[in-house]
Amino acid sequence: MSCNPTLAIKMWALMFLLLVGIARAATPNAMLRGMPSLPKISVPERSFTSPNGTILPNITTAYYFDQLRDHNNTNLGTFKQRYWMNWEFYEPGGPIILMTPGEVNADDYQVYITNDSINGLIAQQQKGAAILIEHRFFGFSNPYDNLTSQSLALLTVQQAIDDLVYFATTADLPMPGGDAVKPSQAPWILVGGSYSGALTSYTMYGDRLKANRESSGLDIYLLLLWKRSRIDYYDYFTPIREHMPQNCSFDIQAVIAYLDGMYAAKDTAGIKTLQETFGLGGLDHVADFATALEINLWDWQGLEPYIGPKSMFYEFCDALEVKDGVNAGPEGWGVDHAIRSWGNFWNTTYYSYNCPGQDVQTCLGSFDPTDIYWTNITVNNANRSWFWMVCNQIGFYQTGPPEGQPAIVSRILQPSYGERQCVNMFPEAFAYPPQPATAETNTMYAGWNVNVPRLFFANGLRDPWRGGTVSADGLNKPNTTSMPIYMSDGFHCSDMITRNGILDPTIAVVQEAGLRYMKEWLAEWTPST
């Protein structure tokens, strides 16, 4: 399908929905331990040169863009938004590949502007340039010098969308000819994974963007993948339970059933004894203990094909299932052995891994609103900024499943556990636990109902976030040539990393398909001027 030559701006977007693990220690808000984040891969240590042999700046060189503080009130001025750029493959006429890493400090994510990532592979194939731009209120791209509730009022999905559009339409890039590659002059490709993948999809549906399309001809095409927001996201644990070693899954289910049974029976003495077995008797609230058990499962989100079996997650399962050199059968060793071995793993290995130098209440407690974790308003605090979005628009509280479904996490954990923490962190904004406006978010930005030409979805079968994507079980969203949906055997955002395609042929298929569609769709692009 050819592009409308009368459009003033044409931006194309490629997004892969993928996620990975987070910083561990000092995160009493356990809901943030399993937040969506891109895989963080080491930056290549090599020099970069342009096609004509010119040595380029180091890709860790940060540039600064004057971004609007408030796209609804330009009188508030601008702030410095950081971005990084690599034009080693660029030739005039090539595309600009834009991506934000989302809810993180963007330092050390520069791999996403090299051909160690899908972004760089597109740039290499299409002779384009790649840009990584830091999300507002993360890292050191802050409209204000604090993260108070008043400042964070400007941290919304729509403001983030408008940031991308404003950057694309006004930035003069640091490469030669970088002042003549606006979306009316060159194709722009928007790439994202996990939340930033959602943001790619959302960019097509923002109210401001729709208005711009009608008034100034702005047209943004997308190649991406994303998920539908929801409040209770117990489906996070379904791919983990289905694809982890089954003996480990059975034993975890046995321990969780034992805990939930005592909770239902109000057996506080039994619960305290169980906590002490894990070395967590100092936790005053059983919900915090239930969350501590959940942390072992969040390690799954950090798995990738290149990591292999020597990961903390599999070390945990080996601790439960290998006894005297013998592996348990598919139904595990049973609840008594599972409690002893899981507790021993926490005491000998996992507590120091998660809580180095901290007491149990400081590391894992969540009920003291005076703790500095809740009151720290300094910038470069990704947990605080992301939780603001969770409390207001995103949701995705990782909870126990409904009765009747297998449970590897406790049903003690319900959305109210996370919503209470919104009041802890933002008492000026929330007098009582809020419900995130997920229905409004899905309505405004289409959610599962997204229907955009040139939109490419890539999901992983073993991704714990798959239940919120267009590849969710039972959704059966049509796969079309204008909006392809691909799924590999990968984990969270596995398709974004080049070497994963070398190790896993199912990921290679997805990567090759994305590159093929990108080539075909870019061949249809024509400038507006």
Side-chain angles (χ1 to χ4, degrees):
M1 181 168 61
S2 61
C3 295
N4 185 338
T6 64
L7 295 178
I9 298 173
K10 302 174 183 177
M11 181 188 291
W12 304 60
L14 164 67
M15 167 183 135
F16 290 83
L17 172 49
L18 331 169
L19 311 151
V20 88
I22 284 187
R24 300 184 305 274
T27 310
N29 184 340
M31 296 297 177
L32 297 181
R33 294 176 186 262
M35 77 183 190
S37 300
L38 288 170
K40 190 173 184 179
I41 310 299
S42 59
V43 178
E45 294 183 1
R46 62 179 176 87
S47 60
F48 293 81
T49 58
S50 69
N52 65 11
T54 302
I55 297 177
L56 301 181
N58 192 294
I59 61 169
T60 60
T61 301
Y63 303 94
Y64 295 86
F65 173 68
D66 290 328
Q67 184 62 263
L68 295 174
R69 279 198 176 98
D70 185 352
H71 294 273
N72 299 312
N73 182 2
T74 58
N75 292 330
L76 292 181
T78 62
F79 70 96
K80 298 295 184 182
Q81 187 171 29
R82 297 196 300 175
Y83 70 99
W84 295 260
M85 187 171 182
N86 177 17
W87 59 94
E88 64 174 320
F89 304 116
Y90 181 76
E91 295 183 11
I96 308 300
I97 297 99
L98 176 65
M99 173 182 169
T100 174
E103 68 284 23
V104 293
N105 178 320
D107 281 324
D108 302 325
Y109 280 84
Q110 289 84 8
V111 69
Y112 290 100
I113 55 175
T114 76
N115 60 2
D116 287 347
S117 71
I118 190 68
N119 311 34
L121 291 178
I122 298 168
Q124 184 173 21
Q125 173 182 277
Q126 303 298 146
K127 299 179 173 57
I131 298 172
L132 182 78
I133 188 167
E134 194 166 58
H135 195 292
R136 63 168 50 214
F137 286 104
F138 289 90
F140 295 99
S141 296
N142 293 279
Y144 296 104
D145 62 358
N146 61 71
L147 299 180
T148 64
S149 298
Q150 181 179 2
S151 295
L152 289 170
L154 292 178
L155 176 55
T156 67
V157 169
Q158 190 60 51
Q159 292 282 355
I161 289 171
D162 294 340
D163 284 350
L164 296 173
V165 175
Y166 188 70
F167 177 86
T169 55
T170 64
D172 289 335
L173 303 178
M175 69 179 185
D179 59 347
V181 289
K182 305 298 188 293
S184 60
Q185 302 162 306
W188 281 62
I189 303 168
L190 188 57
V191 183
S194 192
Y195 160 65
S196 77
L199 197 59
T200 303
S201 179
Y202 292 171
T203 299
M204 188 63 195
Y205 280 89
D207 287 343
R208 178 180 300 279
L209 183 56
K210 292 181 180 179
N212 284 344
R213 291 174 67 199
E214 294 165 2
S215 63
S216 65
L218 180 62
D219 198 1
I220 295 184
Y221 294 85
L222 309 174
L223 167 59
L224 60 74
L225 162 162
W226 176 229
K227 53 182 177 279
R228 176 179 182 269
S229 291
R230 53 191 284 187
I231 294 175
D232 59 331
Y233 186 52
Y234 53 83
D235 283 336
Y236 179 93
F237 300 99
T238 301
I240 303 175
R241 176 177 54 79
E242 292 178 342
H243 296 285
M244 69 188 293
Q246 286 306 289
N247 50 10
C248 189
S249 173
F250 266 82
D251 276 340
I252 291 172
Q253 290 178 55
V255 175
I256 295 304
Y258 179 69
L259 170 62
D260 285 0
M262 288 192 293
Y263 181 75
K266 296 182 173 55
D267 183 359
T268 55
I271 291 173
K272 181 60 70 173
T273 298
L274 182 61
Q275 288 184 215
E276 290 170 349
T277 301
F278 283 73
L280 303 177
L283 289 174
D284 297 331
H285 298 271
V286 65
D288 287 340
F289 174 61
T291 300
L293 302 187
E294 198 176 34
I295 297 172
N296 293 104
L297 302 174
W298 283 322
D299 289 331
W300 178 272
Q301 188 172 297
L303 296 178
E304 294 291 346
Y306 63 82
I307 292 177
K310 300 298 184 181
S311 68
M312 182 57 72
F313 183 87
Y314 286 112
E315 185 177 342
F316 160 60
C317 277
D318 285 348
L320 266 65
E321 303 309 324
V322 179
K323 181 169 60 173
D324 299 326
V326 177
N327 286 312
E331 295 186 359
W333 294 110
V335 65
D336 291 337
H337 176 79
I339 289 172
R340 290 194 303 271
S341 57
W342 195 349
N344 182 64
F345 183 70
W346 262 90
N347 281 290
T348 62
T349 303
Y350 205 63
Y351 186 87
S352 60
Y353 174 74
N354 273 279
C355 307
Q358 294 178 300
D359 65 78
V360 65
Q361 197 64 42
T362 300
C363 182
L364 300 170
S366 70
F367 283 79
D368 180 4
T370 66
D371 190 290
I372 192 172
Y373 178 81
W374 307 111
T375 60
N376 179 14
I377 60 171
T378 57
V379 300
N380 191 29
N381 183 346
N383 284 345
R384 184 177 181 88
S385 296
W386 178 243
F387 202 45
W388 175 264
M389 301 190 78
V390 167
C391 295
N392 283 283
Q393 292 184 282
I394 302 296
F396 279 113
Y397 295 117
Q398 292 142 34
T399 61
E403 292 288 346
Q405 294 190 20
I408 57 174
V409 297
S410 173
R411 294 184 178 88
I412 295 169
L413 299 175
Q414 295 300 313
S416 57
Y417 178 74
E419 291 165 353
R420 169 188 56 80
Q421 296 177 33
C422 295
V423 180
N424 280 9
M425 189 167 276
F426 308 110
E428 302 85 3
F430 305 116
Y432 52 87
Q435 279 204 346
T438 55
E440 180 181 334
T441 301
N442 291 328
T443 298
M444 184 174 295
Y445 304 111
W448 279 339
N449 297 318
V450 63
N451 184 17
V452 180
R454 303 182 182 92
L455 176 61
F456 187 97
F457 292 86
N459 293 294
L461 180 67
R462 292 178 285 182
D463 184 354
W465 295 94
R466 179 170 58 83
T469 77
V470 294
S471 295
D473 292 338
L475 182 60
N476 301 318
K477 191 172 181 67
N479 176 17
T480 67
T481 55
S482 66
M483 200 173 73
I485 301 172
Y486 278 73
M487 185 166 67
S488 71
D489 289 339
F491 297 94
H492 185 60
C493 298
S494 297
D495 304 339
M496 298 200 77
I497 306 302
T498 301
R499 60 175 160 169
N500 283 339
I502 298 172
L503 297 171
D504 186 329
T506 70
I507 294 174
V509 168
V510 177
Q511 292 175 340
E512 290 164 3
L515 291 169
R516 182 175 67 252
Y517 275 103
M518 199 73 264
K519 184 176 182 178
E520 293 174 2
W521 293 342
L522 282 172
E524 301 171 355
W525 185 88
T526 56
S528 298
T529 58

